[in-house]
Amino acid sequence: SVSYIPLAPITVPQESRQMHLPRFPLTAFSIATKSSSSPFISTPTDFHQWLKLKIPLAKSRVSISSLYVGVGSASAPLEREFLGALSAAPPDVRMRVVMDYHRGRRAVGDTSSAEAVSAALKNTSASLHLFRVPTPAFSSLSLPSPINEVAGVMHMKAYIIDDEMILTGANLSEEYFSDRLDRYVLFRDGAGGLVDFYADLIEAMAEASSVHGEPETSENDANKRDLMRSVQELMDTHGSRAEATFEKIKADTIGFATPTIQVPTSMYGGRARPPFPLDSEVIAGLVRTSGATFEGGWMGLSSAYLNPTDSFLGAAEAFSSQRDNKLTFLTAGGSSHGFAPKGDQKKDGEGRAWIPAAYQYISEVLSLSPALNCSVLHYERPKWTFHAKGMWFCDGPSPPSPETLTTVVVGSGNYGSRSENLDMESNCVLQFGSVEGGAAGDASAAVKRTLFDDWKGLREYAQEIKVRP
């Protein structure tokens, strides 16, 4: 028999009312697993192959949101293959490509990401859209590239081909296709409407962007409000559809997917709040609620750049202070840090060596915090860079296991000040109910095992740091 216990919707108090985010029902076919016959994405090579092979065979749509795309230089054959896949997309397929305005226009030799992608799309029906995060005039107009990116970027990563989608933190360049490790969750068969939601979100982002090569869209308050209103309408519309879908497939449902959006404070000026809950609010609420309900539970957090905000630390302290819960942080060690110079770049990168050292210091401070009572792990893998981010929650006795996994978060956010205040991000909260026996029970176990193995794979090259008080 199959018994399913539906989970309560994620709600966030805002303006004296509870706001429900959409919950998309997940079935056995919604998430690719190691045990399934369909492609499974776990490495940069898998990620590259999925894009390269799937885009030319697309039947209805290709929707891409990424910080940037590699330019396909002579030393980057994987980038050239990806750009070639874009060029080979069928002409009758609807395509949307959205990148960050400043990162996309950053000079790379005598070209840029925007120029390379625009050239690849030349003979297709697609246009390249550059999304400019609203920033103070002095930063967007006066600061040179790439320093102008410090003030905020569009950082959301979602890759959609027909009814499949990868949510990840990875961009589309040579290192992300080879030796820069991220996480990749492949959603299939529309994932109960989740894929359609992200496709429509990318469409809304495109409409609020400038088309490369055409006059730029102005950054006035009305445009900001229009985009946030569009996001809220998407959440309302798709939320209603998701509830209707759930009623139809209730017996086969193994969990829910809830997308979250983080918009920078510059988009609402710190005055009127956005008309939807922010990712940072959802995540903090999730941490606090889990801490209050777990018994001997565990939370793992992975971030390429571990620098948690005060609001997140408050929630984490509340989690670890209750019911014998445990907390683990996983981040890049010195040699695998994203700002650590590699190979022939070492001489040129010596001036930024202080950045990994600064994050090392933050790790040490966290590990010594009596309020957190946490362990901090550093990922160190020769010739690899660490870029994985996400969260895992287990309710049960240590050590954590797939059987006790209740919630997983995947997406682009790093859970730090930049993600919360400057950049536009999206995460997705995956929650799993109690499903026992039958095909649904087996499917639930396979999905949870696959998602938990994400953590185990990252943990394989990580060691706990030891710091003397």
Side-chain angles (χ1 to χ4, degrees):
S1 63
V2 178
S3 61
Y4 176 71
I5 303 175
L7 297 165
I10 298 175
T11 59
V12 178
Q14 186 165 312
E15 299 177 358
S16 302
R17 62 193 177 104
Q18 295 285 306
M19 300 187 67
H20 291 228
L21 289 163
R23 303 183 309 157
F24 297 93
L26 303 174
T27 71
F29 305 102
S30 297
I31 297 178
T33 66
K34 291 181 179 179
S35 59
S36 64
S37 58
S38 64
F40 174 69
I41 314 298
S42 64
T43 68
T45 298
D46 295 338
F47 176 51
H48 172 258
Q49 288 291 309
W50 184 83
L51 292 163
K52 183 183 76 171
L53 298 177
K54 286 274 188 177
I55 291 175
L57 299 177
K59 294 180 173 58
S60 59
R61 65 185 174 190
V62 174
S63 298
I64 291 174
S65 173
S66 187
L67 176 64
Y68 71 100
V69 176
V71 300
S73 62
S75 61
L78 301 180
E79 292 177 1
R80 294 200 302 276
E81 289 180 352
F82 171 74
L83 293 170
L86 289 181
S87 299
D92 57 340
V93 165
R94 183 173 181 82
M95 290 185 68
R96 283 291 179 269
V97 181
V98 179
M99 297 192 311
D100 178 68
Y101 177 88
H102 291 300
R103 184 63 179 85
R105 288 159 51 98
R106 184 201 292 187
V108 181
D110 59 356
T111 186
S112 67
S113 180
E115 290 293 336
V117 173
S118 183
L121 298 176
K122 184 176 181 180
N123 295 320
T124 72
S125 60
S127 298
L128 171 62
H129 301 263
L130 300 178
F131 185 89
R132 190 204 297 247
V133 169
T135 55
F138 75 88
S139 61
S140 61
L141 298 178
S142 303
L143 295 179
S145 176
I147 300 175
N148 52 11
E149 298 165 32
V150 172
V153 295
M154 195 289 295
H155 199 246
M156 188 177 81
K157 323 292 173 59
Y159 306 110
I160 298 171
I161 302 172
D162 297 331
D163 286 333
E164 293 189 347
M165 172 179 69
I166 290 178
L167 289 184
T168 178
N171 295 300
L172 301 169
S173 65
E174 196 75 8
E175 57 185 351
Y176 287 100
F177 295 149
S178 56
D179 57 10
R180 193 173 179 94
L181 184 66
D182 216 297
R183 293 178 62 217
Y184 324 88
V185 176
L186 173 57
F187 296 91
R188 306 181 304 166
D189 293 339
L194 180 69
V195 178
D196 287 341
F197 171 83
Y198 271 99
D200 285 348
L201 177 60
I202 293 173
E203 187 75 23
M205 299 277 289
E207 291 178 0
S209 302
S210 300
V211 177
H212 182 60
E214 296 183 6
E216 297 182 13
T217 301
S218 62
E219 291 184 296
N220 55 47
D221 290 340
N223 285 341
K224 301 173 196 174
R225 289 193 298 269
D226 287 346
L227 175 59
M228 290 193 290
R229 190 180 303 113
S230 294
V231 172
Q232 180 59 53
E233 290 173 355
L234 288 177
M235 288 186 171
D236 291 342
T237 301
H238 284 274
S240 297
R241 292 176 186 169
E243 291 301 320
T245 300
F246 173 59
E247 291 301 320
K248 295 177 182 178
I249 63 172
K250 184 181 295 186
D252 298 318
T253 299
I254 63 172
F256 288 114
T258 298
T260 66
I261 310 295
Q262 187 75 21
V263 297
T265 54
S266 62
M267 287 188 66
Y268 55 90
R271 300 184 297 276
R273 296 304 308 272
F276 50 86
L278 295 172
D279 170 76
S280 56
E281 297 171 322
V282 175
I283 296 300
L286 179 64
V287 173
R288 289 183 181 275
T289 302
S290 299
T293 56
F294 284 2
E295 192 72 49
W298 169 83
M299 179 182 79
L301 182 146
S302 176
S303 174
Y305 310 108
L306 185 62
N307 181 24
T309 62
D310 289 342
S311 60
F312 181 87
L313 284 177
E317 290 171 0
F319 177 92
S320 61
S321 67
Q322 302 181 72
R323 302 172 181 263
D324 197 31
N325 294 325
K326 293 179 172 58
L327 173 62
T328 304
F329 291 116
L330 172 61
T331 190
S335 64
S336 291
H337 198 278
F339 284 94
K342 296 192 304 179
D344 57 4
Q345 299 175 348
K346 283 188 175 181
K347 185 174 181 180
D348 294 336
E350 288 176 355
R352 62 183 189 183
W354 64 272
I355 300 179
Y359 282 101
Q360 167 78 24
Y361 175 73
I362 294 172
S363 294
E364 294 174 357
V365 170
L366 293 174
S367 69
L368 292 173
S369 169
L372 285 172
N373 189 28
C374 68
S375 57
V376 180
L377 312 179
H378 275 184
Y379 183 97
E380 300 273 10
R381 186 177 179 185
K383 298 183 180 180
W384 280 74
T385 303
F386 183 80
H387 199 253
K389 61 266 297 184
M391 302 180 74
W392 295 256
F393 294 80
C394 291
D395 182 10
S398 295
S401 67
E403 291 73 25
T404 59
L405 186 69
T406 67
T407 307
V408 172
V409 182
V410 63
S412 64
N414 274 296
Y415 314 102
S417 179
R418 181 179 181 104
S419 291
E420 186 169 319
N421 298 310
L422 298 179
D423 296 341
M424 190 153 189
E425 308 273 13
S426 178
N427 286 322
C428 190
V429 180
L430 309 178
Q431 295 179 300
F432 300 96
S434 175
V435 184
E436 299 177 358
D442 293 342
S444 177
V447 169
K448 293 202 287 186
R449 190 181 311 113
T450 295
L451 294 171
F452 187 78
D453 282 351
D454 265 0
W455 174 265
K456 286 179 62 178
L458 301 178
R459 179 70 177 82
E460 182 179 354
Y461 290 93
Q463 296 293 328
E464 183 175 358
I465 66 170
K466 301 294 184 180
V467 184
R468 289 185 177 183

